[in-house]
Amino acid sequence: MPIGALVFDAYGTLFDVHSVVRRCEGLWPGKGAQLSQLWRAKQLEYTWQRSLMKRYAPFSTVTRAALAYACEALGLELTAERMEALMGEYLMLSPYPDVPDAIERCAGKKAILTNGSPDMIEPLVAHSGLKFDAVLSVDKLKTYKPAPEVYALALKKLKIPKERIGFVSSNCWDALGAKSFGFTVYWINRLGAPVERLGFTPDKTINSLLDLA
Amino acid sequence: MPIGALVFDAYGTLFDVHSVVRRCEGLWPGKGAQLSQLWRAKQLEYTWQRSLMKRYAPFSTVTRAALAYACEALGLELTAERMEALMGEYLMLSPYPDVPDAIERCAGKKAILTNGSPDMIEPLVAHSGLKFDAVLSVDKLKTYKPAPEVYALALKKLKIPKERIGFVSSNCWDALGAKSFGFTVYWINRLGAPVERLGFTPDKTINSLLDLA
């Protein structure tokens, strides 16, 4: 069955978070990479743990909490000003170079399905100038990826059969969550990582979003 | 209200996983610490992700999958023999030095509440010689910590009010999951880590299980 619509993850898939890493490095020279890595790891852990605890908090809250943890763990002083500077970077991330062309060339509807809360994702999409038919946030459901109800949100919006929805993510666990739900899945493996072992495999692994067209 | 029963997490709280690290180092000299760290990180991630995906697999399966991933990511050759050697270590972990005395001195019922599937936790407890009134595994529920229904398993077994159950874990997110559920929580912070930022704090942070008595 041909793909009738594409659903994209946002952070790391469409938008490059490298500028956040660079800003971390600017604030704490020599510590940028380590801080960004721990920050990102905690950000994800908190989404999974809070979802399981049934204690949802919006992605902006979780992202701030993860930054505060990471700075404390690494002994870095986090002022309110630095917190705002780093959170501000998230609102103006650059799309990866392959994104604008890929979006334009792909036929059918295009949507974003993201953990990002509206206060984070809406300014970011507006800033990018990219056009989507829908920007869907887990915030509506108060749980995070890879819960099946999150992927169902896209299905409900697009109203075509599951298998005709192509889901694209750079996060392998997100891609496999979508596969478990029933989407046709494209894992964009920008970092050359192994496939996560969660009992599913992506339908296709791609190196560039241009491979979608 | 006085504490009427104690519920312990197993891995890292009662049982020292250091021998697994040592064995990793023996098999891949110079890589033991890095491998163990990635293995443990993936093991936990997979428990959270599978729980959210509603694709439970027993802890023994998840632990093997996480080891396979970690070895591939680090470019280490994992034979069937090495896999079995490492999984075998999990069945004969040593209790931390403070554990036998602490268990003996504490009044009231004592139970284990663990992510470990029966095929992993039962041989381990038998090997240790430690005595508990109950050994409860999430396997019965087909979901992992920190889901509230996991903590409810201990409540149901012990039949005393929530706040009178003292829950002890070295994993801060597990301690906070138990706190969110309503237990009185003792976080044993063996590694001097910061408190996780999940909207709750432990009732008490301890350095040794002997502080419980």
Side-chain angles (χ1 to χ4, degrees):
Chain A
M1 240 189 308
I3 295 300
L6 287 170
V7 176
F8 296 89
D9 170 55
Y11 305 111
T13 302
L14 295 174
F15 300 103
D16 186 351
V17 296
H18 185 76
S19 61
V20 179
V21 182
R22 211 166 43 220
R23 192 74 180 248
C24 286
E25 181 62 26
L27 291 171
W28 295 283
K31 295 285 184 181
Q34 202 186 354
L35 174 62
S36 323
Q37 204 175 1
L38 183 57
W39 182 11
R40 172 63 174 167
K42 282 290 149 188
Q43 181 192 47
L44 288 176
E45 282 184 23
Y46 288 173
T47 64
W48 299 321
Q49 292 163 351
R50 279 186 170 273
S51 295
L52 285 174
M53 288 164 71
K54 312 249 182 255
R55 299 284 185 184
Y56 176 85
F59 200 58
S60 47
T61 304
V62 162
T63 301
R64 284 166 189 269
L67 177 59
Y69 178 95
C71 284
E72 188 181 343
L74 299 176
L76 307 175
E77 197 202 349
L78 179 65
T79 60
E81 210 173 12
R82 286 171 172 182
M83 169 80 89
E84 294 317 312
L86 287 166
M87 291 299 294
E89 285 294 333
Y90 263 99
L91 307 183
M92 44 189 187
L93 303 173
S94 299
Y96 285 98
D98 51 346
V99 169
D101 278 1
I103 298 290
E104 199 172 310
R105 285 192 215 164
C106 290
K109 289 199 172 173
K110 271 133 332 204
I112 288 178
L113 178 63
T114 177
N115 271 344
S117 39
D119 57 337
M120 287 180 77
I121 193 67
E122 284 172 10
L124 173 60
V125 174
H127 178 266
S128 76
L130 298 171
K131 297 287 171 230
F132 294 90
D133 297 286
V135 177
L136 306 168
S137 166
V138 304
D139 191 62
K140 205 173 168 170
L141 299 171
K142 312 296 179 209
T143 196
Y144 284 102
K145 295 177 177 183
E149 53 269 44
V150 170
Y151 304 104
L153 205 60
L155 181 64
K156 209 171 147 186
K157 183 76 184 181
L158 294 167
K159 298 188 183 76
I160 60 171
K162 273 183 187 180
E163 321 76 55
R164 293 197 56 209
I165 294 178
F167 183 84
V168 189
S169 182
S170 64
N171 296 294
C172 192
W173 58 269
D174 177 25
L176 300 182
K179 182 68 198 167
S180 165
F181 177 71
F183 287 158
T184 294
V185 162
Y186 305 97
W187 175 36
I188 174 152
N189 187 8
R190 296 192 194 276
L191 303 172
V195 181
E196 298 285 357
R197 282 169 169 82
L198 287 165
F200 294 86
T201 49
D203 291 282
K204 205 163 165 46
T205 301
I206 58 178
N207 297 313
S208 160
L209 292 186
L210 294 170
D211 297 345
L212 290 170
Chain B
M1 240 192 305
I3 295 301
L6 287 171
V7 177
F8 297 89
D9 170 55
Y11 306 109
T13 301
L14 296 174
F15 300 103
D16 187 350
V17 295
H18 185 75
S19 61
V20 180
V21 183
R22 212 166 41 221
R23 192 76 180 248
C24 285
E25 181 62 25
L27 291 171
W28 295 284
K31 294 287 184 178
Q34 203 187 353
L35 174 61
S36 322
Q37 204 175 359
L38 184 57
W39 184 10
R40 172 65 174 166
K42 281 291 149 187
Q43 182 192 45
L44 289 176
E45 281 182 23
Y46 289 173
T47 65
W48 300 321
Q49 291 163 353
R50 279 186 171 271
S51 295
L52 284 174
M53 288 164 73
K54 312 252 183 252
R55 298 285 184 183
Y56 177 85
F59 200 58
S60 46
T61 304
V62 163
T63 302
R64 284 167 189 269
L67 177 59
Y69 178 94
C71 284
E72 189 182 342
L74 299 175
L76 306 175
E77 196 202 350
L78 178 66
T79 60
E81 210 174 12
R82 286 171 171 182
M83 170 79 90
E84 293 318 311
L86 286 167
M87 291 300 293
E89 285 294 333
Y90 263 98
L91 308 182
M92 43 187 188
L93 303 173
S94 299
Y96 285 98
D98 52 345
V99 169
D101 278 2
I103 299 289
E104 201 172 308
R105 285 190 213 165
C106 290
K109 290 201 170 170
K110 271 133 334 202
I112 287 177
L113 179 63
T114 178
N115 272 345
S117 40
D119 57 336
M120 288 181 78
I121 192 67
E122 284 172 9
L124 174 60
V125 174
H127 179 266
S128 75
L130 298 170
K131 297 289 171 226
F132 294 91
D133 297 287
V135 177
L136 306 169
S137 166
V138 304
D139 191 62
K140 206 173 167 168
L141 299 170
K142 312 295 178 210
T143 194
Y144 284 102
K145 297 176 177 183
E149 52 270 42
V150 170
Y151 305 103
L153 205 61
L155 181 66
K156 207 170 149 188
K157 183 75 183 180
L158 293 166
K159 298 187 181 76
I160 59 172
K162 272 182 186 180
E163 322 76 57
R164 292 196 58 210
I165 295 178
F167 183 84
V168 189
S169 182
S170 64
N171 297 295
C172 192
W173 57 269
D174 178 25
L176 300 183
K179 182 68 198 168
S180 165
F181 178 71
F183 287 157
T184 295
V185 162
Y186 306 98
W187 175 37
I188 174 153
N189 186 7
R190 298 191 194 276
L191 303 173
V195 180
E196 298 285 356
R197 283 170 168 81
L198 287 165
F200 294 87
T201 49
D203 292 283
K204 207 164 162 46
T205 301
I206 59 177
N207 297 312
S208 161
L209 291 187
L210 294 169
D211 298 346
L212 290 170

